[in-house]
Amino acid sequence: VAERPVFLFGGKIPVFRQMSPGTRGADVRELQTGLQAAGYGVGSDASGRYGPGTAAAVAALYRANGVTPSMAGSPGSVRRLSRQVNADSRTLSAAQAKLAADEAAKAGRKKLAADRAAVTQAERHLASAQRALASAQKTTGAQIPMGEAIFVPHLPARILSVATLGATVGSGSDSGSNSRRRGSSSSAAVQLGSGKVSLSAFAPISQARLLRPGMKGTARSDVSGAKFVVRIVSVRGPRLTLVPVGRIPGSVVGQNVQVTITASRVRSFIVPVAAVSTGQSNETFVTLSTGGGQTKTVPVRLGVSSGGLQAVTPVKSGGLHPGDLVVLGIGSAKHG
């Protein structure tokens, strides 16, 4: 997806966060189980703890598939601290050697005291550098961003059951899964023990904060393409609970679905990202082709950006119109 891999692992808990060195939890345990099943050992890492072994396994998985892994933390800091540890180790060795030589030569008390103080100071510097290196190593390494891994309870996924229900899902009585409501026509739907069905989902916390019970969205099966309307009934942190509105197609039974919910709508013009330029005073603008080789610039405010497209709003009303031709690759020239 967007030239990045997506890895499928077995697991009951959906991916709800980025997994990186230092992360702990059941989702990390599922990741480790999947890595080991694929032949990538996690070393001495404890179950559910994303340590150096898990990071190395993730890096190997990505590279085996021809992709550079995403990195958490600062590899540069780890290298710098490693060099510091080596330098402090050499300083300590030199101080210890000098102390030993002076003791063998039966040097005076003041000289030996200075030698011992130098050894103590070198030991402290080395211990401090080693602690800093260990801390940096715990949070540095290959990571799995959200969207590049999926956990599913069973592999392969299968349709569990399909029944013929005459009532809308959730409106039947509790007497059985095939209950009907008078006057309704039958249609394929999920077989339900109580006549009700709900969906559980996770969203990044930044997105979940925009959602409220009662909001409606569209669920779409990535396998069959079938769509149906859903409504949020609860939002608890990143976890969402939704229910279908009306009947749902039988073809989605046992499948994962992607739910799209519009939290707010903004009216904007959409242009390619390459059409947006920045002037010397940091104002943003797009350049329009007005015909005959002539152009004009229109100052704009930027909105959301995705997939190479940018939402823009003209600073002055009426500055842009649907169908205007924008020029790509225009930049500001500076005197030098």
Side-chain angles (χ1 to χ4, degrees):
V1 177
E3 299 185 4
R4 294 294 300 177
V6 177
F7 297 105
L8 185 67
F9 299 103
K12 296 181 179 180
I13 299 177
V15 175
F16 62 94
R17 60 178 174 175
Q18 179 172 277
M19 287 178 282
S20 57
T23 305
R24 301 181 185 182
D27 52 341
V28 176
R29 186 180 303 113
E30 292 180 344
L31 171 64
Q32 291 171 327
T33 300
L35 290 168
Q36 292 168 333
Y40 298 92
V42 298
S44 60
D45 287 359
S47 178
R49 180 173 298 183
Y50 198 124
T54 304
V58 169
L61 176 67
Y62 273 84
R63 293 189 179 110
N65 287 273
V67 182
T68 300
S70 300
M71 300 297 291
S74 175
S77 294
V78 171
R79 291 191 293 269
R80 177 180 58 79
L81 290 169
S82 296
R83 291 194 295 268
Q84 184 64 50
V85 167
N86 292 334
D88 289 345
S89 295
R90 292 192 295 269
T91 300
L92 175 59
S93 296
Q96 290 171 333
K98 188 174 186 304
L99 173 61
D102 288 343
E103 287 177 336
K106 297 182 179 181
R109 292 183 178 179
K110 289 185 177 180
K111 192 171 186 180
L112 291 177
D115 289 344
R116 293 189 182 98
V119 170
T120 300
Q121 184 178 27
E123 288 174 339
R124 289 174 179 171
H125 287 169
L126 176 59
S128 177
Q130 288 173 331
R131 287 193 297 270
L133 176 60
S135 177
Q137 288 174 330
K138 288 180 180 179
T139 56
T140 301
Q143 64 183 357
I144 291 191
M146 281 191 65
E148 295 190 12
I150 298 174
F151 292 140
V152 294
H154 304 285
L155 289 171
R158 295 184 176 90
I159 293 178
L160 303 179
S161 62
V162 176
T164 299
L165 297 184
T168 57
V169 173
S171 65
S173 68
D174 291 339
S175 60
S177 62
N178 291 325
S179 59
R180 292 178 180 272
R181 188 165 58 184
R182 185 176 299 175
S184 61
S185 59
S186 62
S187 62
V190 183
Q191 183 175 356
L192 308 169
S194 64
K196 297 181 179 181
V197 67
S198 64
L199 297 83
S200 296
F202 286 87
I205 194 67
S206 59
Q207 297 179 14
R209 289 173 180 155
L210 303 175
L211 303 177
R212 298 289 184 272
M215 286 184 172
K216 293 182 179 180
T218 302
R220 180 183 182 277
S221 167
D222 290 333
V223 177
S224 66
K227 298 180 181 180
F228 57 96
V229 179
V230 293
R231 175 173 52 83
I232 299 176
V233 294
S234 71
V235 181
R236 297 181 179 178
R239 187 179 183 90
L240 312 176
T241 303
L242 310 97
V243 295
V245 178
R247 297 183 178 88
I248 63 175
S251 60
V252 303
V253 179
Q255 297 178 0
N256 289 328
V257 296
Q258 182 179 39
V259 178
T260 301
I261 298 173
T262 301
S264 62
R265 296 183 183 275
V266 178
R267 189 174 182 85
S268 299
F269 292 95
I270 307 299
V271 299
V273 170
V276 179
S277 302
T278 303
Q280 294 186 13
S281 58
N282 291 327
E283 77 278 6
T284 53
F285 61 89
V286 296
T287 302
L288 302 184
S289 173
T290 57
Q294 301 298 311
T295 61
K296 71 172 183 177
T297 59
V298 178
V300 296
R301 299 185 184 92
L302 302 183
V304 296
S305 177
S306 177
L309 298 177
Q310 174 70 57
V312 297
T313 303
V315 173
K316 293 184 178 180
S317 179
L320 292 177
H321 301 88
D324 283 346
L325 297 179
V326 293
V327 182
L328 307 184
I330 295 296
S332 60
K334 297 182 180 180
H335 294 289

